[in-house]
Amino acid sequence: MINIVIFGAPGAGKGTQANLLAERYDFLHISTGDLLRQEVRMQTTVGQRVKAIMDRGDLVGDDIVVSLLDRALRQRSTHPDPDSQEDPWDVERKGKPHRPEGCIIDGFPRTVQQAQTLEFIFNKLNRKINLIVAIDVPRDELVRRIHERATISGRSDDTEEVIRHRLDLYDEQTQPVLDYYRVSGRLTTIDGSGEISGTNGRICQVIDSLIVR
Ligand code: AMP
Protein backbone atom coordinates (compact mmCIF):
# COMPACT_ATOMS: atom_id res chain seq x y z
CA MET A 1 0.00 0.00 0.00
CA ILE A 2 1.29 3.39 -0.95
CA ASN A 3 0.13 6.65 0.51
CA ILE A 4 0.93 9.79 -1.39
CA VAL A 5 0.60 13.49 -0.77
CA ILE A 6 0.41 15.61 -3.88
CA PHE A 7 1.41 19.26 -3.81
CA GLY A 8 1.06 22.08 -6.22
CA ALA A 9 0.17 25.74 -6.22
CA PRO A 10 -3.34 26.66 -7.38
CA GLY A 11 -3.34 25.94 -11.12
CA ALA A 12 -0.50 23.40 -10.99
CA GLY A 13 -2.94 20.63 -11.84
CA LYS A 14 -2.71 18.65 -8.60
CA GLY A 15 -6.43 17.82 -8.65
CA THR A 16 -6.24 16.59 -12.24
CA GLN A 17 -3.15 14.52 -11.56
CA ALA A 18 -4.60 13.12 -8.31
CA ASN A 19 -7.71 11.99 -10.20
CA LEU A 20 -5.64 10.28 -12.90
CA LEU A 21 -3.46 8.53 -10.32
CA ALA A 22 -6.44 7.43 -8.23
CA GLU A 23 -7.95 5.87 -11.32
CA ARG A 24 -4.77 4.17 -12.47
CA TYR A 25 -3.64 2.75 -9.12
CA ASP A 26 -7.02 2.34 -7.43
CA PHE A 27 -6.12 4.86 -4.76
CA LEU A 28 -8.62 6.47 -2.45
CA HIS A 29 -8.48 10.13 -3.51
CA ILE A 30 -9.02 12.67 -0.79
CA SER A 31 -9.13 16.34 -1.74
CA THR A 32 -9.68 18.66 1.22
CA GLY A 33 -10.80 21.40 -1.21
CA ASP A 34 -13.47 19.05 -2.63
CA LEU A 35 -14.57 17.97 0.86
CA LEU A 36 -14.98 21.61 1.86
CA ARG A 37 -16.77 22.56 -1.39
CA GLN A 38 -19.16 19.68 -0.78
CA GLU A 39 -19.98 21.04 2.70
CA VAL A 40 -20.66 24.45 1.13
CA ARG A 41 -22.85 22.93 -1.58
CA MET A 42 -24.83 20.97 1.01
CA GLN A 43 -25.13 24.08 3.18
CA THR A 44 -24.08 22.21 6.30
CA THR A 45 -23.07 24.10 9.44
CA VAL A 46 -19.44 23.59 8.46
CA GLY A 47 -20.23 24.75 4.92
CA GLN A 48 -21.77 27.95 6.19
CA ARG A 49 -18.76 28.61 8.41
CA VAL A 50 -16.17 28.10 5.66
CA LYS A 51 -17.81 29.67 2.61
CA ALA A 52 -16.63 33.26 3.19
CA ILE A 53 -13.13 32.05 4.13
CA MET A 54 -12.84 30.04 0.93
CA ASP A 55 -14.26 32.86 -1.18
CA ARG A 56 -11.48 35.10 0.15
CA GLY A 57 -8.90 32.43 -0.67
CA ASP A 58 -7.86 32.12 2.99
CA LEU A 59 -7.12 28.89 4.78
CA VAL A 60 -9.93 27.22 6.69
CA GLY A 61 -9.21 26.43 10.35
CA ASP A 62 -7.35 23.21 11.13
CA ASP A 63 -10.13 21.92 13.39
CA ILE A 64 -12.54 21.75 10.46
CA VAL A 65 -10.14 20.50 7.77
CA VAL A 66 -8.57 17.88 10.02
CA SER A 67 -11.91 16.44 11.06
CA LEU A 68 -13.08 16.21 7.42
CA LEU A 69 -9.81 14.53 6.47
CA ASP A 70 -9.95 12.13 9.39
CA ARG A 71 -13.50 11.15 8.48
CA ALA A 72 -12.57 10.62 4.82
CA LEU A 73 -9.62 8.41 5.76
CA ARG A 74 -11.87 6.24 7.89
CA GLN A 75 -14.79 6.25 5.50
CA ARG A 76 -16.38 2.96 4.54
CA SER A 77 -18.14 4.22 1.43
CA THR A 78 -15.60 2.38 -0.70
CA HIS A 79 -16.41 -0.85 1.10
CA PRO A 80 -19.00 -3.08 -0.60
CA ASP A 81 -20.87 -3.50 2.67
CA PRO A 82 -21.23 -0.16 4.48
CA ASP A 83 -22.32 -1.89 7.72
CA SER A 84 -19.30 -4.18 7.80
CA GLN A 85 -16.97 -3.83 10.77
CA GLU A 86 -14.03 -4.76 8.58
CA ASP A 87 -11.37 -2.15 7.99
CA PRO A 88 -11.99 -0.96 4.41
CA TRP A 89 -8.24 -0.77 3.90
CA ASP A 90 -7.66 -4.43 4.67
CA VAL A 91 -10.38 -6.22 2.72
CA GLU A 92 -9.44 -8.72 0.07
CA ARG A 93 -9.66 -7.28 -3.40
CA LYS A 94 -11.10 -10.41 -4.96
CA GLY A 95 -14.65 -9.81 -6.09
CA LYS A 96 -14.82 -6.54 -4.25
CA PRO A 97 -14.62 -3.48 -6.42
CA HIS A 98 -13.15 -0.11 -5.49
CA ARG A 99 -10.78 -1.32 -2.87
CA PRO A 100 -8.40 1.51 -2.14
CA GLU A 101 -4.83 0.28 -2.58
CA GLY A 102 -3.58 3.31 -0.82
CA CYS A 103 -4.52 6.91 -0.84
CA ILE A 104 -3.62 10.12 -2.53
CA ILE A 105 -4.16 13.27 -0.53
CA ASP A 106 -4.52 16.53 -2.36
CA GLY A 107 -4.79 19.94 -0.69
CA PHE A 108 -3.45 18.82 2.67
CA PRO A 109 -1.11 19.62 4.37
CA ARG A 110 -0.86 23.33 3.63
CA THR A 111 1.11 24.33 6.70
CA VAL A 112 3.92 22.72 8.71
CA GLN A 113 1.46 22.32 11.58
CA GLN A 114 -0.88 20.34 9.25
CA ALA A 115 2.06 18.21 8.08
CA GLN A 116 2.77 17.26 11.68
CA THR A 117 -0.92 16.51 12.24
CA LEU A 118 -0.94 14.28 9.16
CA GLU A 119 2.01 12.27 10.50
CA PHE A 120 0.12 11.89 13.77
CA ILE A 121 -3.10 10.72 12.06
CA PHE A 122 -1.20 8.19 9.92
CA ASN A 123 0.76 6.90 12.91
CA LYS A 124 -2.52 6.28 14.71
CA LEU A 125 -3.77 4.33 11.67
CA ASN A 126 -0.48 2.37 11.54
CA ARG A 127 0.19 3.72 8.08
CA LYS A 128 2.76 6.03 6.68
CA ILE A 129 3.13 8.60 3.95
CA ASN A 130 5.51 7.01 1.45
CA LEU A 131 5.83 9.74 -1.13
CA ILE A 132 5.34 13.46 -1.47
CA VAL A 133 5.00 14.69 -5.03
CA ALA A 134 5.41 18.41 -5.67
CA ILE A 135 4.24 19.60 -9.07
CA ASP A 136 6.35 22.55 -10.07
CA VAL A 137 4.92 25.16 -12.47
CA PRO A 138 6.25 28.71 -13.03
CA ARG A 139 4.05 31.48 -11.61
CA ASP A 140 3.23 33.05 -15.04
CA GLU A 141 1.92 29.73 -16.26
CA LEU A 142 -0.09 29.23 -13.05
CA VAL A 143 -1.83 32.59 -13.49
CA ARG A 144 -2.56 31.82 -17.15
CA ARG A 145 -4.07 28.44 -16.28
CA ILE A 146 -6.21 29.74 -13.42
CA HIS A 147 -7.64 32.43 -15.70
CA GLU A 148 -8.47 29.75 -18.23
CA ARG A 149 -10.04 27.56 -15.52
CA ALA A 150 -12.04 30.52 -14.16
CA THR A 151 -13.96 30.81 -17.41
CA ILE A 152 -15.24 27.26 -17.07
CA SER A 153 -15.08 26.33 -13.37
CA GLY A 154 -17.42 28.96 -11.97
CA ARG A 155 -15.40 28.66 -8.74
CA SER A 156 -16.00 31.70 -6.59
CA ASP A 157 -12.32 31.73 -5.56
CA ASP A 158 -11.01 31.97 -9.13
CA THR A 159 -11.14 35.76 -9.38
CA GLU A 160 -8.07 37.91 -10.13
CA GLU A 161 -7.58 39.27 -6.60
CA VAL A 162 -8.30 35.99 -4.86
CA ILE A 163 -5.99 34.09 -7.22
CA ARG A 164 -3.07 36.38 -6.34
CA HIS A 165 -3.84 35.97 -2.66
CA ARG A 166 -3.98 32.17 -2.95
CA LEU A 167 -0.67 32.08 -4.82
CA ASP A 168 0.98 34.34 -2.20
CA LEU A 169 -0.41 32.16 0.57
CA TYR A 170 0.97 29.08 -1.13
CA ASP A 171 4.43 30.65 -1.34
CA GLU A 172 4.32 31.82 2.27
CA GLN A 173 2.75 28.88 4.06
CA THR A 174 2.98 25.85 1.87
CA GLN A 175 6.53 26.13 0.56
CA PRO A 176 7.88 25.62 4.11
CA VAL A 177 5.96 22.33 4.16
CA LEU A 178 8.02 21.17 1.18
CA ASP A 179 11.20 22.00 3.10
CA TYR A 180 9.81 19.98 6.01
CA TYR A 181 9.32 16.94 3.74
CA ARG A 182 12.58 17.44 1.83
CA VAL A 183 14.50 16.70 5.02
CA SER A 184 12.77 13.32 5.32
CA GLY A 185 13.91 12.29 1.82
CA ARG A 186 10.38 11.47 0.63
CA LEU A 187 9.92 14.52 -1.58
CA THR A 188 10.00 14.30 -5.37
CA THR A 189 9.61 17.41 -7.49
CA ILE A 190 8.02 16.96 -10.91
CA ASP A 191 8.05 19.46 -13.76
CA GLY A 192 4.39 20.24 -14.36
CA SER A 193 4.75 23.03 -16.90
CA GLY A 194 3.84 20.97 -19.97
CA GLU A 195 1.00 18.70 -21.05
CA ILE A 196 -1.10 16.80 -18.48
CA SER A 197 -0.03 13.44 -19.93
CA GLY A 198 3.68 14.28 -19.73
CA THR A 199 3.42 15.30 -16.08
CA ASN A 200 1.35 12.22 -15.36
CA GLY A 201 3.95 9.96 -17.00
CA ARG A 202 6.71 11.43 -14.85
CA ILE A 203 4.72 10.92 -11.65
CA CYS A 204 3.79 7.34 -12.62
CA GLN A 205 7.47 6.53 -13.17
CA VAL A 206 8.22 7.52 -9.59
CA ILE A 207 5.26 5.56 -8.18
CA ASP A 208 6.09 2.50 -10.28
CA SER A 209 9.63 2.53 -8.97
CA LEU A 210 8.25 2.40 -5.42
CA ILE A 211 5.82 -0.41 -6.25
CA VAL A 212 8.45 -2.75 -7.72
CA ARG A 213 10.99 -2.03 -5.03
P1 AMP B 1 -8.10 23.64 -3.29
O1 AMP B 1 -9.25 23.00 -4.00
O2 AMP B 1 -7.11 22.66 -2.74
O3 AMP B 1 -7.46 24.73 -4.10
O4 AMP B 1 -8.73 24.37 -1.98
C1 AMP B 1 -9.71 25.36 -2.11
C2 AMP B 1 -9.83 26.14 -0.80
O5 AMP B 1 -10.24 25.25 0.26
C3 AMP B 1 -8.55 26.78 -0.30
O6 AMP B 1 -8.29 28.05 -0.90
C4 AMP B 1 -8.84 26.90 1.19
O7 AMP B 1 -9.73 27.98 1.45
C5 AMP B 1 -9.59 25.60 1.48
N1 AMP B 1 -8.68 24.49 1.86
C6 AMP B 1 -8.44 23.36 1.16
N2 AMP B 1 -7.55 22.57 1.80
C7 AMP B 1 -7.22 23.24 2.93
C8 AMP B 1 -6.34 22.97 4.00
N3 AMP B 1 -5.57 21.85 4.03
N4 AMP B 1 -6.25 23.87 5.02
C9 AMP B 1 -6.99 25.00 5.00
N5 AMP B 1 -7.83 25.34 4.01
C10 AMP B 1 -7.96 24.47 2.98
Side-chain angles (χ1 to χ4, degrees):
M1 183 192 296
I2 293 188
N3 300 304
I4 299 170
V5 168
I6 191 157
F7 266 100
K14 68 179 163 52
T16 304
Q17 292 298 336
N19 275 325
L20 290 170
L21 298 171
E23 175 92 351
R24 181 181 168 114
Y25 297 99
D26 205 9
F27 289 142
L28 174 66
H29 175 198
I30 299 175
S31 154
T32 46
D34 283 352
L35 292 174
L36 288 162
R37 278 185 287 276
Q38 193 182 356
E39 296 291 321
V40 173
R41 245 191 333 270
M42 289 164 60
Q43 299 183 352
T44 61
T45 315
V46 165
Q48 286 165 9
R49 275 178 64 193
V50 301
K51 183 172 182 334
I53 302 171
M54 293 175 75
D55 283 351
R56 285 198 305 271
D58 282 329
L59 293 187
V60 169
D62 283 4
D63 51 339
I64 292 180
V65 187
V66 170
S67 83
L68 288 176
L69 174 71
D70 204 41
R71 191 171 75 193
L73 279 167
R74 294 167 194 280
Q75 70 169 336
R76 288 163 197 275
S77 63
T78 50
H79 193 285
D81 172 8
D83 295 325
S84 166
Q85 294 304 305
E86 260 181 307
D87 181 344
W89 296 73
D90 289 337
V91 294
E92 282 296 316
R93 180 172 197 161
K94 228 169 138 196
K96 295 179 180 175
H98 311 309
R99 176 204 169 205
E101 282 290 340
C103 74
I104 181 150
I105 301 179
D106 128 31
F108 192 100
R110 268 173 148 94
T111 61
V112 172
Q113 167 82 51
Q114 288 187 359
Q116 288 162 346
T117 303
L118 189 64
E119 295 291 328
F120 179 76
I121 293 175
F122 269 70
N123 277 344
K124 257 192 339 194
L125 293 169
N126 264 334
R127 297 178 181 115
K128 63 175 192 164
I129 305 287
N130 310 87
L131 175 68
I132 292 93
V133 175
I135 305 178
D136 189 39
V137 177
R139 182 143 174 158
D140 289 357
E141 174 64 11
L142 291 173
V143 174
R144 192 194 66 71
R145 287 187 192 175
I146 301 175
H147 276 300
E148 202 175 274
R149 181 173 80 184
T151 59
I152 37 177
S153 75
R155 271 176 60 161
S156 50
D157 58 354
D158 271 352
T159 63
E160 180 84 39
E161 198 187 336
V162 175
I163 287 165
R164 263 178 222 297
H165 181 54
R166 288 168 64 210
L167 288 171
D168 289 345
L169 213 57
Y170 181 81
D171 286 343
E172 277 165 33
Q173 299 205 294
T174 313
Q175 282 293 352
V177 185
L178 295 182
D179 297 334
Y180 170 88
Y181 281 127
R182 195 168 284 119
V183 176
S184 74
R186 289 172 292 171
L187 176 71
T188 297
T189 302
I190 301 283
D191 172 16
S193 57
E195 294 292 316
I196 291 172
S197 57
T199 304
N200 188 247
R202 287 188 281 281
I203 301 176
C204 289
Q205 262 179 14
V206 178
I207 297 176
D208 290 345
S209 72
L210 282 181
I211 288 173
V212 296
R213 208 180 278 166

